[in-house]
Structure formats: C-alpha cells, structure tokens
Amino acid sequence: MTDITHFINDLPATETGLGAVLSDVVAACREISRAIDRGALTGAMGSQGESNVQGEEQKKLDVISNDLFLEHVQRSGLVAGLVSEEMEEPFVPRGSSLSKDTGNRRYLVLFDPLDGSSNVDANITVGTIFSILHYQESQTEPIDPSYLQAGAKQICAGYAMYGSSTMLVLTVGRGVQGFTLNRDTGEFILTHPNMRIPPDTHEFAVNMSNYRFWESPMQHYIDDCLQGKEGRRGKDFNMRWIASMVAEIHRILIRGGIFMYPIDSKIRKQGGRLRLMYEANPMSFIVEQAGGMASTGRHRVMDIEPEALHQRIPVVMGSKNEVETVTTYYRR
Ligand code: F6P
C-alpha cells in the first residue's frame, strides 16, 4: 500500500521543498500522536495552569504539541515563520530570512497544535490543523504582512486526527487524501484516497446551547431542520456535536454533514469562535477540495482577506447543497 512518502515524492516539481516541509509536519504529528497515546502514563493530562493568547485555558498537551510541532517543522530550513494558536507572535526559526538572515526559506506554516483540546482529558478525539502559504520575501517584520494571505492562497492544508486511529488528511489542491498511521511501523498509509463529501445530508453539527444567542437566519435554518418531515425541509435531521472540529470535519468527509459555528451575541465582539488562519482556512481548503463548500453564511471563507493573525470568523461548512441552503437563509 502507498505510504505518505510516495505521496510526498509525487508533489508538483514547481513546489520545491514543500515535500521536505510536509515530511517534518508528518514527523511532528506522529510525535504528538505518541504523546497523546501515552496520556496519563507520562503525567501529560490536565491543565497547564495558564491561558493562551485567546484567553483560553491551556492544557499540558497544548503546550507539548506546540513545542513538538515547532521543533520538527523548522528542521527543513525552508520555513520562514510559523504562527500558532498557542503563541501571540509568530515564531521565526533561527537563520530565517525573517530574522534578516538570507536563506532558502519559502514557506509559512500556520497551525493549531491541538484543536479541541478541552476534550483531551476525556479521551475524546482531538487534532492538529495546519496551513502552508508561500512566504513572499519582500515583506518585513514585525508582524510580517505576508502571513495575512487569504485562504485561497494556501498551497497545502491538512489535519492530523488522534482518534481510535491516528489519521493524516491533507490537500495540495489536487483532491483530498487520507492516511492512517500504522502504529507498529510509524508509517502513514494511504487508506482513504480521493475523499469526497456527499453533496446532500440530513446531519448537522452545531452547539445548540447557543441557539438563543444566534442571529435569526441561523435560528430559522435550525428551526426548519428540527421540524423534519413535517416542515419545509421535508426530511428528518440528525444532530452530532463532538466539540472537536477535526473530528467533526472528518465525519463529514466520511459520510457528509454540515458543521457550523455561527456568530452569536456572546462572541460578536471577537468576530466568531473559530480562528480564520489556522482553523477555518485549512479546513475550508480540504472541504472544497473534497467537493464541499465553506462559507461564513455570507461569504466564501477562503476569499476573506485576513486582518490579524488570530482573527476569528463564523463558519458553515460541509455538504455543498446543505451549505448553499444555509446561505439562502442569510440572503433572505
Ligand atoms: O477551537 C475551537 C473548538 O475547540 C473546536 O474544535 C470545536 O468545534 C469548538 O471549539 C467547540 O466549541 P464549544 O465549546 O462551544 O462546544
């Protein structure tokens, strides 16, 4: 069976060095997977006792995963800078052209080291999300504006999912491939080639406890889903909420569905719940490459011109026809 090394060797020749960066990402995810597997045996569970840049409680495994990712993904010498959910400022590897040292560095990597980490102590699936952009050398510090590129400019995006098995799902703009970690050999094997999201669904994922805080289009959409066969949608819906975006999007890649984190009055000031650069954009790239759709409800996610590294936005993504239906509620 094909392993991820073959996939990496097959990358477009125009993307010199992307393979080396991806190999480092793969190594990082393998190590994070090991750290999570060992869990309580190494005392890695529980809270770090601090908050991250977003003001959220940091788990020990958030910090461990962040450190492992940084350690590995600067090895190729081709990454000019990294942005993480866990760090306020970008991380500039030593010898990087961003640290004024000339070099061969052509890529920027933005990542969420452990998405859904509030679940990790309960042994529920979590994941690492990453997005790779070109680094444009003309840009300069302090917060290099070259990080602030629309999602449509991503050249690679993916996630590792630490669940009943560890999987790596990624796209370089030529469809979506899923690899499963063979824990005996450490290899990621291509088990899910050309993943496609069915266009129709009767399964939605949303945190229903926020219903009363939502805008009316989202309330109306959910009202209609809940009416089932008797309502205007004419079919019954099922609901899932794992509170772990990686697990949610993976389920949608496997059997379809719609995942939503809409704006609500509690989070209006922040702009949304999910982070644009290292959650919404990479997941949107994957979803679109699998034939799905990713929107804020009003605009295509990947068209948004980012204004800040840790910017948040509302998200509606998954099965194409269902996401389109949601956008019609916003247009009404
Ligand atoms: O980082 C965002 C995240 O953990 C997602 O993975 C998940 O979908 C969401 O937050 C869970 O939100 P809530 O706590 O409202 O259920």
Coordinates of all heavy atoms in Angstrom, one line a residue, residues 70-113:
L70 N 6.8 22.9 16.6 CA 7.8 23.9 16.3 C 9.2 23.2 16.1 O 9.9 23.5 15.2 CB 7.9 24.9 17.5 CG 6.8 25.9 17.6 CD1 7.1 26.8 18.8 CD2 6.7 26.7 16.4
E71 N 9.5 22.3 17.0 CA 10.8 21.6 16.9 C 11.0 20.9 15.6 O 12.0 21.0 14.9 CB 10.8 20.5 18.1 CG 12.1 19.7 18.1 CD 11.9 18.5 19.1 OE1 11.1 18.6 20.1 OE2 12.5 17.5 18.8
H72 N 9.9 20.2 15.1 CA 10.0 19.4 13.9 C 9.9 20.3 12.6 O 10.7 20.1 11.7 CB 9.0 18.3 13.8 CG 9.3 17.2 14.7 ND1 10.1 16.2 14.3 CD2 8.9 16.9 16.0 CE1 10.3 15.3 15.3 NE2 9.5 15.7 16.3
V73 N 9.0 21.3 12.7 CA 8.7 21.9 11.4 C 9.6 23.1 11.1 O 9.4 24.0 10.3 CB 7.2 22.3 11.4 CG1 6.8 23.0 10.0 CG2 6.3 21.1 11.6
Q74 N 10.8 23.2 11.8 CA 11.8 24.1 11.4 C 13.0 23.4 10.9 O 14.0 24.0 10.5 CB 12.2 25.1 12.5 CG 12.6 24.4 13.8 CD 12.9 25.4 14.9 OE1 13.7 26.3 14.6 NE2 12.3 25.3 16.0
R75 N 12.9 22.0 10.8 CA 14.1 21.2 10.5 C 14.5 21.4 9.0 O 15.7 21.3 8.8 CB 13.8 19.8 10.8 CG 13.9 19.5 12.3 CD 14.0 18.1 12.6 NE 14.2 17.9 14.1 CZ 13.8 16.9 14.8 NH1 13.3 15.8 14.2 NH2 14.0 16.8 16.1
S76 N 13.6 21.5 8.1 CA 14.0 21.5 6.7 C 14.8 22.8 6.4 O 15.5 22.8 5.4 CB 12.7 21.5 5.8 OG 12.0 22.8 6.0
G77 N 14.7 23.8 7.2 CA 15.4 25.1 6.9 C 14.7 25.8 5.8 O 15.2 26.8 5.3
L78 N 13.4 25.4 5.5 CA 12.7 26.1 4.4 C 11.5 26.9 4.9 O 10.8 27.5 4.1 CB 12.2 25.0 3.4 CG 13.3 24.2 2.7 CD1 12.7 23.0 2.0 CD2 14.0 25.1 1.7
V79 N 11.3 26.9 6.2 CA 10.2 27.6 6.7 C 10.6 29.0 7.3 O 11.5 29.0 8.2 CB 9.5 26.8 7.8 CG1 8.4 27.6 8.5 CG2 8.9 25.5 7.2
A80 N 10.0 30.0 6.8 CA 10.5 31.4 7.2 C 9.8 31.8 8.5 O 10.4 32.6 9.3 CB 10.1 32.4 6.1
G81 N 8.6 31.2 8.8 CA 8.0 31.6 10.1 C 6.8 30.7 10.3 O 6.2 30.1 9.4
L82 N 6.4 30.6 11.6 CA 5.3 29.8 12.0 C 4.3 30.6 12.9 O 4.8 31.4 13.7 CB 5.7 28.6 12.8 CG 6.6 27.5 12.0 CD1 8.0 27.6 12.4 CD2 6.0 26.1 12.2
V83 N 3.0 30.4 12.7 CA 2.0 31.0 13.6 C 1.2 29.9 14.3 O 0.8 29.0 13.6 CB 1.1 31.9 12.7 CG1 -0.1 32.4 13.6 CG2 1.8 33.2 12.2
S84 N 1.1 30.1 15.6 CA 0.3 29.0 16.3 C -0.8 29.6 17.1 O -0.6 30.8 17.6 CB 1.3 28.3 17.2 OG 0.6 27.6 18.2
E85 N -1.8 28.9 17.3 CA -2.9 29.3 18.2 C -2.3 29.6 19.6 O -2.8 30.4 20.4 CB -4.0 28.2 18.3 CG -5.0 28.7 19.3 CD -6.1 27.6 19.5 OE1 -6.2 26.7 18.8 OE2 -6.8 27.8 20.5
E86 N -1.3 28.9 20.0 CA -0.7 29.0 21.3 C 0.3 30.1 21.6 O 0.8 30.3 22.7 CB -0.1 27.6 21.8 CG -1.1 26.5 21.7 CD -2.3 26.6 22.6 OE1 -2.2 27.3 23.7 OE2 -3.4 26.2 22.2
M87 N 0.6 30.9 20.5 CA 1.6 31.9 20.6 C 1.1 33.2 20.1 O 0.6 33.2 18.9 CB 2.9 31.5 19.9 CG 3.5 30.2 20.3 SD 5.0 29.8 19.4 CE 4.4 29.9 17.7
E88 N 1.3 34.3 20.8 CA 0.8 35.6 20.4 C 1.5 36.0 19.1 O 0.8 36.5 18.2 CB 1.0 36.6 21.5 CG 0.3 37.9 21.2 CD -0.2 38.6 22.4 OE1 0.2 38.2 23.5 OE2 -0.9 39.6 22.2
E89 N 2.8 35.9 19.1 CA 3.6 36.4 18.0 C 4.1 35.2 17.1 O 4.2 34.1 17.6 CB 4.8 37.1 18.5 CG 4.5 38.3 19.4 CD 3.8 39.4 18.6 OE1 4.0 39.5 17.4 OE2 3.1 40.2 19.3
P90 N 4.4 35.5 15.8 CA 4.9 34.4 15.0 C 6.2 33.9 15.6 O 7.0 34.7 16.2 CB 5.1 35.1 13.7 CG 4.3 36.3 13.7 CD 4.2 36.7 15.1
F91 N 6.5 32.7 15.3 CA 7.8 32.1 15.7 C 8.7 32.1 14.4 O 8.4 31.6 13.4 CB 7.6 30.6 16.1 CG 8.9 29.9 16.4 CD1 9.5 30.0 17.7 CD2 9.5 29.2 15.5 CE1 10.7 29.4 18.0 CE2 10.7 28.5 15.7 CZ 11.3 28.6 17.0
V92 N 9.9 32.7 14.6 CA 10.8 32.9 13.5 C 12.0 32.0 13.7 O 12.8 32.2 14.6 CB 11.3 34.3 13.3 CG1 12.3 34.5 12.2 CG2 10.0 35.2 13.1
P93 N 12.1 30.9 12.9 CA 13.3 30.0 13.2 C 14.6 30.7 13.0 O 14.7 31.6 12.3 CB 13.1 28.9 12.0 CG 11.7 29.0 11.6 CD 11.3 30.4 11.8
R94 N 15.6 30.2 13.8 CA 16.9 30.8 13.7 C 17.4 30.6 12.3 O 17.3 29.6 11.7 CB 17.8 30.1 14.7 CG 17.6 30.7 16.1 CD 18.9 30.7 16.8 NE 19.2 29.3 17.2 CZ 20.3 29.0 17.8 NH1 21.2 29.9 18.0 NH2 20.6 27.8 18.1
G95 N 18.1 31.7 11.8 CA 18.6 31.6 10.4 C 17.6 31.9 9.4 O 17.8 31.9 8.2
S96 N 16.3 32.2 9.8 CA 15.3 32.5 8.9 C 15.5 33.8 8.2 O 16.1 34.7 8.8 CB 13.9 32.5 9.6 OG 13.0 33.2 8.8
S97 N 15.0 33.9 6.9 CA 15.2 35.2 6.2 C 14.4 36.3 7.0 O 14.7 37.5 6.9 CB 14.7 35.1 4.8 OG 13.6 34.4 4.7
L98 N 13.3 35.9 7.7 CA 12.6 36.9 8.5 C 13.4 37.4 9.7 O 13.2 38.4 10.2 CB 11.3 36.2 9.1 CG 10.1 36.2 8.2 CD1 9.0 35.5 8.8 CD2 9.7 37.7 7.8
S99 N 14.4 36.6 10.1 CA 15.3 37.1 11.1 C 16.5 37.8 10.5 O 17.6 37.8 11.0 CB 15.7 36.0 12.1 OG 16.5 35.1 11.5
K100 N 16.3 38.2 9.2 CA 17.3 39.1 8.5 C 18.5 38.3 8.0 O 19.4 38.8 7.5 CB 17.8 40.3 9.3 CG 16.7 41.1 9.9 CD 16.2 42.1 8.8 CE 15.2 43.0 9.3 NZ 13.8 42.6 9.2
D101 N 18.4 37.0 8.1 CA 19.5 36.2 7.6 C 19.0 35.6 6.2 O 17.9 35.1 6.2 CB 19.6 35.0 8.6 CG 21.0 34.4 8.5 OD1 21.7 34.7 7.6 OD2 21.3 33.6 9.4
T102 N 19.7 35.8 5.2 CA 19.2 35.3 3.9 C 19.2 33.8 3.9 O 19.9 33.2 4.6 CB 20.1 35.8 2.7 OG1 21.4 35.5 3.0 CG2 19.9 37.2 2.5
G103 N 18.3 33.3 3.1 CA 18.2 31.8 3.1 C 17.2 31.4 2.0 O 16.8 32.1 1.2
N104 N 17.0 30.1 2.2 CA 16.2 29.4 1.2 C 14.7 29.3 1.6 O 14.1 28.4 1.1 CB 16.8 28.0 1.1 CG 17.0 27.6 -0.3 OD1 16.6 28.4 -1.2 ND2 17.5 26.4 -0.6
R105 N 14.3 30.1 2.5 CA 13.0 29.9 3.2 C 11.9 30.4 2.3 O 11.8 31.6 2.1 CB 13.1 30.5 4.5 CG 14.2 29.9 5.3 CD 14.3 30.5 6.7 NE 15.5 29.8 7.3 CZ 15.4 28.8 8.1 NH1 14.3 28.2 8.4 NH2 16.5 28.3 8.7
R106 N 11.0 29.5 2.0 CA 9.9 29.8 1.1 C 8.5 29.6 1.6 O 7.6 29.9 1.0 CB 9.9 29.1 -0.3 CG 11.1 28.3 -0.5 CD 11.0 27.2 -1.6 NE 12.3 26.7 -1.8 CZ 13.1 27.1 -2.8 NH1 12.6 27.9 -3.7 NH2 14.3 26.6 -2.9
Y107 N 8.4 29.1 2.8 CA 7.1 28.7 3.3 C 6.8 29.3 4.7 O 7.7 29.5 5.5 CB 6.9 27.2 3.3 CG 7.1 26.6 2.0 CD1 8.2 25.8 1.7 CD2 6.1 26.8 1.0 CE1 8.4 25.3 0.4 CE2 6.3 26.2 -0.3 CZ 7.4 25.5 -0.5 OH 7.6 24.9 -1.8
L108 N 5.5 29.6 4.9 CA 5.0 29.9 6.2 C 4.0 28.8 6.6 O 3.3 28.3 5.8 CB 4.2 31.3 6.1 CG 5.0 32.5 5.6 CD1 4.1 33.6 5.3 CD2 6.1 32.9 6.6
V109 N 4.1 28.5 7.9 CA 3.2 27.4 8.4 C 2.4 28.0 9.5 O 2.9 28.5 10.5 CB 4.0 26.2 8.8 CG1 3.1 25.1 9.3 CG2 4.9 25.7 7.7
L110 N 1.1 27.8 9.4 CA 0.2 28.3 10.5 C -0.5 27.1 11.0 O -1.0 26.2 10.2 CB -0.8 29.3 9.9 CG -0.2 30.5 9.3 CD1 0.1 30.4 7.8 CD2 -0.9 31.8 9.5
F111 N -0.6 27.0 12.3 CA -1.2 25.7 12.9 C -1.9 25.9 14.2 O -1.6 26.8 15.0 CB -0.1 24.7 13.0 CG 1.0 25.0 14.0 CD1 1.0 24.4 15.2 CD2 2.0 26.0 13.8 CE1 2.0 24.6 16.2 CE2 3.0 26.3 14.7 CZ 3.0 25.6 15.9
D112 N -2.8 25.0 14.4 CA -3.4 24.8 15.8 C -2.9 23.5 16.3 O -3.3 22.4 15.7 CB -4.9 24.8 15.6 CG -5.6 24.6 16.9 OD1 -4.9 24.4 17.9 OD2 -6.9 24.7 17.0
P113 N -2.0 23.5 17.2 CA -1.3 22.2 17.6 C -2.3 21.1 18.2 O -2.1 20.0 17.9 CB -0.3 22.6 18.7 CG -0.7 24.0 19.1 CD -1.5 24.6 18.0

